[in-house]
């Protein structure tokens, strides 16, 4: 089962290689909003330069409390470009759980949105609202920052549900993500493909969706929750945005397999798990 994969390029370098190959290709899409690879790269670079000034570097954890959006993808990429690792913080989690995660990771920086700021617990971390604070970043360079992290450094820390006790943070290295999505033996993803992004960032399937698309030059199409929960709307989204690759939880797949099996007719790859 051994497969060759790039061992000397980290996640953001593999993304930057895709930017050079197809700068104007669509990278991330949500309804009418769209960022090309070069636009996504430039925005992430500005934020990454700012994160460096806040002390973000290799294995420094950065909290991420955002709704699924192109801005969230910008933030994820920027954290890695700065050299750090992200900690997904589900905005729907109770404040007590968010407080535990922030305390457990001792994340010095948290990226969020203005509408979610009030949901965050009190923290000593520097809180950056990516929307309302963006004007402070406009003057920063949009060039790729120098590379500090390698594949052995952390990509993210994701927490277990805590159903058997206290939630536990699982530290995932960059090379684990590279092996998951590059030159795999279970799915082929390339520039002609459209990947659905349906998973919350706190669910590890988001790793496959986001980096599977961006490290292979594909389109990442963010599917809103109300669309995901409607078989008719989901089928229309798959058709309109030429989505051909999707990951679904087993429960949702089983529901649609009975109620709306035609929703999947245009997909080339459908992965099911959980």
């Amino acid at each position: 089962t051994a497969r060759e994969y790039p061992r000397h390029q980290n996640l953001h370098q593999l993304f930057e290689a895709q930017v050079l190959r197809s700068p104007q290709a669509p990278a991330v899409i949500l309804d009418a909003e769209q960022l090309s690879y070069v636009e996504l790269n430039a925005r992430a670079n500005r934020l990454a330069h700012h994160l460096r000034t806040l002390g973000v570097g290799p294995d420094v954890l950065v909290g991420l409390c955002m709704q699924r959006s192109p801005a969230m993808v910008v933030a994820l990429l920027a954290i890695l470009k700065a050299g750090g690792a992200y900690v997904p913080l589900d905005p729907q989690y109770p404040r007590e759980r968010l407080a535990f995660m922030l305390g457990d990771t001792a994340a010095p920086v948290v990226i969020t949105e203005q509408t979610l700021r009030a949901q965050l617990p009190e923290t000593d971390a520097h809180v950056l609202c990516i929307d309302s604070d963006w004007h402070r970043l406009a003057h920063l360079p949009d060039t790729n920052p120098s590379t500090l992290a390698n594949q052995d450094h952390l990509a993210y820390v994701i927490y277990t549900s805590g159903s058997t006790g206290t939630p536990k943070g699982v530290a995932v290295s960059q090379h684990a993500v590279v092996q998951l999505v590059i030159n795999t033996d279970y799915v082929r993803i390339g520039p002609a493909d459209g990947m659905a992004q349906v998973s919350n960032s706190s669910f590890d399937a988001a790793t496959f969706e986001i980096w599977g698309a961006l490290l292979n030059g594909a389109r990442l199409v963010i599917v809103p929750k109300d669309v995901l929960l409607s078989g008719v709307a989901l089928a229309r989204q798959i058709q309109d945005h030429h989505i051909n690759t999707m990951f679904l939880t087993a429960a949702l797949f089983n529901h649609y397999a009975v109620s709306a099996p035609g929703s999947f007719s245009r997909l080339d790859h459908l992965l099911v798990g959980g």
Side-chain angles (χ1 to χ4, degrees):
T1 59
R3 305 283 289 190
E4 287 297 322
Y5 73 97
R7 299 173 185 270
H8 304 294
Q9 291 176 292
N10 61 26
L11 295 179
H12 74 78
Q13 288 175 316
L14 291 167
F15 170 78
E16 290 164 3
Q18 296 295 336
V19 175
L20 292 177
R21 290 188 187 97
S22 53
Q24 301 305 325
V28 57
I29 300 167
L30 173 60
D31 297 329
E33 184 180 0
Q34 177 173 300
L35 292 177
S36 67
Y37 269 82
V38 70
E39 290 171 332
L40 175 57
N41 192 53
R43 293 193 188 189
N45 285 340
R46 288 192 172 96
L47 180 54
H49 284 294
H50 181 61
L51 292 175
R52 286 267 177 95
T53 68
L54 300 177
V56 177
D59 293 340
V60 173
L61 302 181
V62 178
L64 184 77
C65 185
M66 296 183 67
Q67 302 287 1
R68 294 186 300 117
S69 66
M72 185 196 77
V73 179
V74 169
L76 290 173
L77 188 56
I79 292 167
L80 293 176
K81 280 173 170 281
Y86 55 90
V87 182
L89 303 168
D90 190 334
Q92 297 182 349
Y93 281 167
R95 288 168 63 90
E96 294 77 12
R97 181 180 171 99
L98 294 177
F100 167 78
M101 294 166 68
L102 287 172
D104 194 45
T105 58
V109 179
V110 175
I111 301 176
T112 187
E113 304 164 84
Q114 189 64 44
T115 55
L116 300 175
R117 178 67 179 87
Q119 295 176 225
L120 285 175
E122 290 297 320
T123 175
D124 293 331
H126 177 93
V127 179
L128 171 67
C129 291
I130 196 170
D131 44 5
S132 58
D133 292 338
W134 189 259
H135 65 281
R136 302 178 184 177
L137 313 181
H139 69 285
L140 294 175
D142 62 3
T143 52
N144 296 330
S146 58
T147 298
L148 299 181
N150 57 45
Q151 282 197 20
D152 292 327
H153 287 111
L154 292 180
Y156 62 90
V157 172
I158 196 164
Y159 275 77
T160 63
S161 64
S163 57
T164 58
T166 303
K168 300 171 183 67
V170 180
V172 180
S173 64
Q174 294 210 22
H175 75 77
V177 180
V178 174
Q179 287 182 288
L180 176 71
V181 300
I182 297 291
N183 193 29
T184 67
D185 60 359
Y186 64 92
V187 66
R188 285 289 184 182
I189 307 170
D193 296 319
M195 172 78 78
Q197 206 282 297
V198 304
S199 301
N200 186 293
S201 62
S202 296
F203 180 39
D204 57 6
T207 304
F208 166 77
E209 295 171 339
I210 295 170
W211 303 117
L214 297 182
L215 302 192
N216 291 294
R219 302 180 310 281
L220 182 68
V221 182
I222 299 173
V223 179
K225 186 175 181 179
D226 60 334
V227 172
L228 179 63
L229 297 180
S230 166
V232 174
L234 179 59
R236 186 182 306 115
Q237 183 99 332
I238 290 172
Q239 177 178 343
D240 292 349
H241 288 288
H242 306 288
I243 295 170
N244 70 339
T245 305
M246 174 179 281
F247 182 101
L248 285 179
T249 61
L252 196 56
F253 167 77
N254 288 334
H255 171 69
Y256 282 144
V258 173
S259 65
S263 302
F264 307 129
S265 62
R266 293 179 178 269
L267 295 178
D268 295 320
H269 305 287
L270 177 60
L271 293 85
V272 179

Coordinates of all heavy atoms in Angstrom, one line a residue, residues 64 66-68 72 88-93 158 197-207 209-210 225 228:
L64 N -9.4 29.0 16.1 CA -10.2 29.4 15.0 C -11.7 29.2 15.2 O -12.1 28.0 15.3 CB -9.7 28.6 13.7 CG -10.4 29.1 12.4 CD1 -9.8 30.4 11.9 CD2 -10.3 28.0 11.4
M66 N -14.9 30.2 13.6 CA -15.5 30.9 12.4 C -16.6 29.9 11.8 O -16.5 28.7 12.0 CB -14.5 31.2 11.4 CG -13.4 32.2 11.8 SD -12.3 32.7 10.5 CE -13.4 33.5 9.4
Q67 N -17.5 30.6 11.1 CA -18.4 29.8 10.3 C -17.7 29.4 9.0 O -16.8 30.0 8.6 CB -19.7 30.6 10.0 CG -20.4 31.2 11.2 CD -21.2 30.1 11.9 OE1 -21.2 28.9 11.5 NE2 -21.9 30.5 13.0
R68 N -18.3 28.3 8.4 CA -17.7 27.9 7.1 C -17.9 29.0 6.1 O -19.0 29.4 5.8 CB -18.3 26.6 6.7 CG -18.0 25.4 7.6 CD -18.6 24.1 7.0 NE -20.0 24.1 6.9 CZ -20.7 24.0 5.7 NH1 -20.0 23.9 4.6 NH2 -22.0 24.0 5.6
M72 N -12.9 31.7 6.3 CA -12.4 30.7 7.2 C -11.2 30.0 6.5 O -10.2 29.7 7.1 CB -13.5 29.7 7.5 CG -13.0 28.6 8.5 SD -14.1 27.1 8.6 CE -13.6 26.3 7.1
P88 N -9.6 24.2 15.7 CA -11.0 24.5 15.4 C -11.8 24.6 16.7 O -11.8 23.8 17.5 CB -11.4 23.3 14.5 CG -10.2 22.7 14.0 CD -9.2 22.9 15.1
L89 N -12.5 25.7 16.8 CA -13.4 26.0 17.9 C -14.8 26.2 17.3 O -15.2 27.2 16.7 CB -13.0 27.3 18.6 CG -11.6 27.3 19.2 CD1 -11.2 28.7 19.6 CD2 -11.4 26.3 20.3
D90 N -15.7 25.2 17.5 CA -17.0 25.2 16.9 C -17.8 26.3 17.6 O -18.0 26.3 18.9 CB -17.7 23.9 17.2 CG -19.0 23.7 16.4 OD1 -19.6 24.8 16.1 OD2 -19.4 22.6 16.1
P91 N -18.3 27.3 16.9 CA -19.1 28.4 17.5 C -20.3 27.9 18.2 O -20.9 28.6 19.1 CB -19.5 29.3 16.3 CG -18.5 28.9 15.2 CD -18.2 27.5 15.4
Q92 N -20.8 26.7 17.9 CA -22.0 26.1 18.6 C -21.7 25.4 19.9 O -22.6 25.0 20.6 CB -22.7 25.2 17.7 CG -23.3 25.9 16.4 CD -24.0 25.0 15.5 OE1 -24.0 23.8 15.7 NE2 -24.7 25.5 14.5
Y93 N -20.4 25.3 20.2 CA -20.0 24.6 21.5 C -20.4 25.5 22.6 O -20.4 26.8 22.5 CB -18.5 24.4 21.5 CG -18.0 23.2 20.8 CD1 -16.6 23.0 20.5 CD2 -18.9 22.2 20.3 CE1 -16.2 21.9 19.8 CE2 -18.4 21.1 19.6 CZ -17.1 21.0 19.4 OH -16.6 19.9 18.7
I158 N -7.2 18.8 17.1 CA -8.6 18.7 17.0 C -9.0 17.9 18.3 O -8.3 17.0 18.7 CB -9.0 18.0 15.7 CG1 -10.5 18.1 15.5 CG2 -8.6 16.5 15.7 CD1 -10.9 17.8 14.0
Q197 N -17.6 21.1 0.3 CA -17.1 21.4 1.7 C -18.4 21.4 2.6 O -19.1 22.4 2.6 CB -16.3 22.6 1.8 CG -15.3 22.7 2.9 CD -16.0 23.0 4.3 OE1 -16.5 24.1 4.5 NE2 -15.9 22.0 5.2
V198 N -18.7 20.4 3.3 CA -19.9 20.3 4.1 C -19.6 20.1 5.6 O -20.5 20.3 6.4 CB -20.8 19.1 3.6 CG1 -21.1 19.3 2.1 CG2 -20.2 17.8 3.9
S199 N -18.4 19.8 5.9 CA -18.1 19.4 7.3 C -17.7 20.7 8.1 O -17.0 21.5 7.6 CB -17.0 18.4 7.4 OG -17.3 17.2 6.7
N200 N -18.2 20.7 9.4 CA -17.7 21.7 10.3 C -16.2 21.5 10.5 O -15.7 20.4 10.5 CB -18.4 21.5 11.6 CG -18.1 22.6 12.6 OD1 -17.0 22.7 13.1 ND2 -19.1 23.4 13.0
S201 N -15.5 22.6 10.7 CA -14.0 22.5 10.8 C -13.6 21.7 12.0 O -12.4 21.3 12.1 CB -13.4 23.9 10.9 OG -13.9 24.6 12.1
S202 N -14.5 21.5 13.0 CA -14.2 20.7 14.2 C -14.3 19.2 13.9 O -14.1 18.4 14.8 CB -15.1 21.1 15.4 OG -14.8 22.4 15.7
F203 N -14.8 18.8 12.7 CA -14.9 17.4 12.3 C -13.8 17.1 11.4 O -13.6 17.8 10.4 CB -16.3 17.2 11.6 CG -16.6 15.8 11.2 CD1 -16.2 14.7 12.0 CD2 -17.2 15.6 10.0 CE1 -16.4 13.4 11.5 CE2 -17.5 14.3 9.6 CZ -17.1 13.2 10.4
D204 N -13.1 16.0 11.6 CA -11.9 15.8 10.9 C -12.1 15.6 9.4 O -11.1 15.6 8.6 CB -11.0 14.7 11.5 CG -11.8 13.4 11.6 OD1 -13.0 13.3 11.1 OD2 -11.3 12.4 12.2
A205 N -13.3 15.3 8.9 CA -13.6 15.2 7.5 C -13.2 16.5 6.8 O -12.9 16.4 5.6 CB -15.0 14.8 7.3
A206 N -13.3 17.6 7.5 CA -13.0 18.9 6.8 C -11.5 18.9 6.3 O -11.2 19.6 5.4 CB -13.2 20.0 7.8
T207 N -10.6 18.1 7.0 CA -9.3 18.0 6.5 C -9.2 17.5 5.1 O -8.5 18.0 4.3 CB -8.5 17.1 7.5 OG1 -8.6 17.6 8.8 CG2 -7.0 17.1 7.1
E209 N -11.6 17.4 2.9 CA -12.3 18.3 2.0 C -11.4 19.5 1.6 O -11.2 19.8 0.4 CB -13.6 18.9 2.6 CG -14.7 17.8 2.9 CD -15.8 18.4 3.7 OE1 -15.6 19.4 4.4 OE2 -16.9 17.8 3.7
I210 N -11.0 20.2 2.6 CA -10.2 21.5 2.3 C -8.9 21.3 1.7 O -8.6 21.8 0.6 CB -10.1 22.3 3.6 CG1 -11.5 22.7 4.1 CG2 -9.2 23.5 3.4 CD1 -11.5 23.3 5.5
K225 N -25.5 24.9 5.2 CA -26.2 23.8 5.9 C -27.6 23.6 5.5 O -28.1 22.4 5.4 CB -26.2 24.2 7.4 CG -26.7 23.1 8.3 CD -26.6 23.5 9.8 CE -27.1 22.3 10.7 NZ -27.0 22.7 12.1
L228 N -27.4 21.5 2.4 CA -27.0 20.1 2.7 C -28.2 19.3 3.3 O -28.3 18.1 3.0 CB -25.9 20.2 3.8 CG -25.3 18.8 4.2 CD1 -24.7 18.1 3.1 CD2 -24.3 19.0 5.3

